[in-house]
Amino acid sequence: MLKKITAAAGVVLLSVLTACGSGDGGASSTNSGGSKDGITMGFAQVGAESGWRTANTKSIQDEAKAAGIDLKFSDGQQKQENQIKAIRSFIQQKVDVIAFSPVVETGWDAVLEEAKAANIPVILTDRAIDSDDESLYATFLGSDFVEEGRKAGKWLAENAGGPVNVVELQGTTGSAPANDRKKGFAETIASKPDIKVVASQTGDFTRSGGKQVMEAFLKSVPKIDVVYAHNDDMGLGAIEAIKAAGKVPGKDIRIITVDAVKDGMTALAAGEINYIVECSPLLGKQLMELAKKVVAGEQVPKRVVTEETTFTQEQAKAALPTRQY
Ligand code: AHR
């Protein structure tokens, strides 16, 4: 049976530090910032599907430059085959370390075995893989997505105020954040018979996807009280659909999202979203620190969990002026 990467052993909690500077976010690029430590990293990004992803790419590009790591960056455009091709190309180029955020959880063993055979260490960042073989990667840096789903469910359990019908906008099918945020939320509301998830469909983590799915829900589901969106972008798309249907987001239909990017926080402060669970994209600094250690042959924890919070409307108003992304 496939074994999911969990936070079972060697878990450390590290604060996510603020990124600075700028990155080009292009499909493929190499840092020109020099390579003080002589390290070359191949990074296979998921794509550019959301505000979160844009901030994550910028953090990785900026922090590679700051750390003097030569970054070969590839944008997978949300396709596993593109990410696999990029990893194979990094192996051919004999990079020192490969890092990637797997678009989906399964189907990575073959290419990671190739990296292992070439003695190139692999770091998973942001999203996990589902594999029996933990020797295929050195460490996994990212959020606890199940816990994020639990936080969303806990807020609703405490604030439902009577029977509520929930529609769920899922992230990319087969991705770790979609699987885990669904699981954590379902687990938390399981003991609350008043809270019913009446429809659940993927919006692929995009604003347009969230809008389209919400439009369909508004036509087919007779009573919708709450939207649970697996990211801000889909929640923002749902807001457009709710307004177009003549309803008031945040009041007629309450909205819970995950991420806390600037656009999401702005909608939360304006009362159009009701609660946001934070998922930090600022993984660049920790990733570069881990990469240096891994390349030097030093011990690193198998799992590094990022530290995150949650935001109410009042907390969003206070946090917005200094929000980095
Ligand atoms: O893997 C992190 C998720 O991917 C973010 O929550 C979402 O916005 C992004 O697309």
Side-chain angles (χ1 to χ4, degrees):
M1 200 173 90
L2 289 176
K3 189 170 66 183
K4 186 146 195 191
I5 297 161
T6 65
V11 172
V12 292
L13 278 170
L14 294 176
S15 295
V16 176
L17 301 176
T18 303
C20 59
S22 67
D24 61 17
S28 178
S29 67
T30 304
N31 252 352
S32 56
S35 182
K36 280 180 242 137
D37 296 346
I39 294 176
T40 300
M41 172 189 282
F43 188 91
Q45 180 60 291
V46 169
E49 73 281 4
S50 63
W52 189 99
R53 190 64 55 194
T54 304
N56 179 246
T57 291
K58 183 177 180 320
S59 170
I60 286 156
Q61 291 178 330
D62 289 353
E63 294 296 344
K65 203 166 191 171
I69 291 180
D70 183 20
L71 183 72
K72 295 184 184 302
F73 182 89
S74 163
D75 177 337
Q77 298 178 339
Q78 293 249 70
K79 291 197 174 74
Q80 183 174 33
E81 67 259 34
N82 290 346
Q83 287 195 297
I84 290 175
K85 263 188 221 152
I87 293 170
R88 289 211 165 106
S89 142
F90 297 147
I91 295 170
Q92 271 186 346
Q93 292 173 66
K94 298 186 174 28
V95 299
D96 299 300
V97 56
I98 291 171
F100 80 115
S101 172
V103 61
V104 290
E105 288 192 283
T106 55
W108 299 101
D109 283 36
V111 72
L112 296 187
E113 272 156 20
E114 290 168 34
K116 189 177 170 187
N119 281 322
I120 300 176
V122 171
I123 299 178
L124 303 178
T125 173
D126 164 36
R127 298 184 182 179
I129 59 167
D130 198 346
S131 170
D132 276 334
D133 188 354
E134 289 196 3
S135 76
L136 294 177
Y137 62 93
T139 180
F140 166 37
L141 162 69
S143 308
D144 181 340
F145 296 134
V146 177
E147 187 55 28
E148 289 172 352
R150 286 192 195 114
K151 287 176 184 171
K154 186 167 180 280
W155 182 85
L156 186 57
E158 287 167 2
N159 292 278
V164 288
N165 282 355
V166 182
V167 295
E168 181 178 34
L169 298 173
Q170 294 179 38
T172 303
T173 304
S175 70
N179 293 342
D180 292 354
R181 287 172 187 165
K182 183 174 183 55
K183 184 179 167 203
F185 186 80
E187 193 182 288
T188 310
I189 61 162
S191 58
K192 307 281 170 191
D194 270 0
I195 303 175
K196 287 195 174 62
V197 178
V198 292
S200 181
Q201 206 175 301
T202 181
D204 211 14
F205 280 130
T206 66
R207 207 173 284 208
S208 59
K211 185 177 177 198
Q212 259 177 27
V213 175
M214 192 62 201
E215 281 166 354
F217 283 163
L218 285 161
K219 284 181 193 141
S220 62
V221 181
K223 181 177 173 282
I224 302 175
D225 304 296
V226 174
V227 173
Y228 168 43
H230 289 186
N231 80 343
D232 286 350
D233 277 84
M234 292 189 295
L236 292 162
I239 288 175
E240 290 176 32
I242 291 167
K243 284 181 178 168
K247 293 183 189 285
V248 183
K251 293 203 166 61
D252 296 335
I253 297 179
R254 286 185 286 170
I255 302 175
I256 306 164
T257 66
V258 183
D259 274 356
V261 295
K262 218 164 212 165
D263 285 357
M265 292 287 275
T266 304
L268 180 62
E272 294 186 330
I273 292 179
N274 301 80
Y275 190 65
I276 299 186
V277 177
E278 184 182 45
C279 175
S280 177
L282 304 182
L283 303 176
K285 191 173 173 64
Q286 284 171 286
L287 174 61
M288 300 311 148
E289 286 167 3
L290 286 167
K292 284 185 177 178
K293 287 188 179 159
V294 165
V295 171
E298 290 173 33
Q299 280 286 320
V300 292
K302 199 76 186 174
R303 176 74 167 104
V304 181
V305 184
T306 47
E307 202 174 71
E308 289 154 350
T309 186
T310 55
F311 294 96
T312 61
Q313 293 174 338
E314 286 314 307
Q315 288 165 334
K317 280 179 203 162
L320 252 180
T322 54
R323 198 77 185 150
Q324 301 291 320
Y325 54 90

